[in-house]
Amino acid sequence: MSIKVAAIIGSNRKESYNRKLVEYMKKRYADKLVIELVSINEVEMFNADIENDPPQGAIEFKNNVRNADAVLFAVPEYNFSIPGALKNAIDWLSRSGNDLVGKPTFIIGSSMGVLGSVRAQMHLREILSNPNLQPQLLPGNEVYVGAIHTKLNEQNEVTDQATIDFLDKVVNNFIEFYNKVK
């Protein structure tokens, strides 16, 4: 049985390294996970005045998350935090439906710097602790891929064996975690 994973790409950048990393994971783990990339590009700005009648982009985003078995956040780091567009999308998830509550979730992140989005992931974990979000986060498997631009070839395949081995381990840990909590 494959697990259907909504992979929320935390960047709206066309050449996002996090998108490339998730696309690599989609291919590599196709026998274990059905990873569907979920864009935040069309999610309108959250506004409490319209939360009970959300616009189409927000509805589609929420449905993609709701209909998945699990969630993967792929988060870059902007100014020591998550991008504003990702925070906006998460705000929609916390309202009218609480689509993330209890859903098995894991987080990855990459950057050209050496820390691989560590601060953004810490901030994301804090945001996700909100009672209206509270996914079941995979514990102890933080994925910080630093210097990502040196670890991808022209086909956007990860070439660094240590990174591949670690991703293999985390994905296997997530599947085990998913089977325990679901």
Side-chain angles (χ1 to χ4, degrees):
M1 178 189 100
S2 292
I3 302 166
K4 182 179 175 187
V5 179
I8 299 172
I9 309 301
S11 171
N12 51 14
R13 181 174 171 255
K14 182 180 177 184
E15 293 296 319
S16 163
Y17 286 113
N18 286 286
R19 176 181 301 279
K20 292 175 182 181
L21 184 57
V22 170
E23 287 171 346
Y24 168 79
M25 292 175 68
K26 180 178 180 171
K27 291 175 191 168
R28 181 165 181 85
Y29 307 113
D31 61 326
K32 301 175 182 183
L33 303 174
V34 177
I35 296 176
E36 296 182 6
L37 279 70
V38 178
S39 173
I40 58 174
N41 293 359
E42 304 302 322
V43 179
E44 297 85 356
M45 288 298 296
F46 176 77
N47 179 334
D49 292 339
I50 61 171
E51 74 175 280
N52 292 322
D53 187 22
Q56 191 60 38
I59 290 170
E60 289 174 12
F61 174 74
K62 289 169 65 63
N63 285 340
N64 285 331
V65 172
R66 182 183 304 117
N67 295 329
D69 301 319
V71 172
L72 166 62
F73 281 96
V75 60
E77 184 170 311
Y78 294 179
N79 298 317
F80 302 157
S81 187
I82 65 172
L86 177 59
K87 175 62 169 74
N88 176 65
I90 292 170
D91 288 344
W92 278 109
L93 290 177
S94 73
R95 307 305 274 250
S96 59
N98 300 342
D99 304 297
L100 199 55
V101 173
K103 197 163 290 259
T105 299
F106 64 125
I107 302 170
I108 64 166
S110 67
S111 72
M112 292 175 65
V114 296
L115 296 179
S117 81
V118 83
R119 291 181 187 120
Q121 289 191 42
M122 289 175 16
H123 191 198
L124 177 59
R125 289 175 187 280
E126 180 181 350
I127 292 166
L128 294 176
S129 70
N130 178 304
N132 291 328
L133 292 166
Q134 288 190 335
Q136 294 193 52
L137 281 173
L138 174 67
N141 286 264
E142 288 82 14
V143 179
Y144 311 119
V145 183
I148 185 67
H149 61 293
T150 68
K151 297 175 180 174
L152 295 173
N153 64 19
E154 290 187 13
Q155 293 75 39
N156 294 322
E157 299 166 327
V158 177
T159 57
D160 179 69
Q161 192 59 50
T163 301
I164 294 168
D165 293 345
F166 187 67
L167 287 172
D168 288 348
K169 179 182 174 187
V170 169
V171 167
N172 287 331
N173 288 346
F174 179 74
I175 292 168
E176 184 178 315
F177 172 76
Y178 175 87
N179 289 325
K180 284 182 185 174
V181 300
K182 235 3 200 177

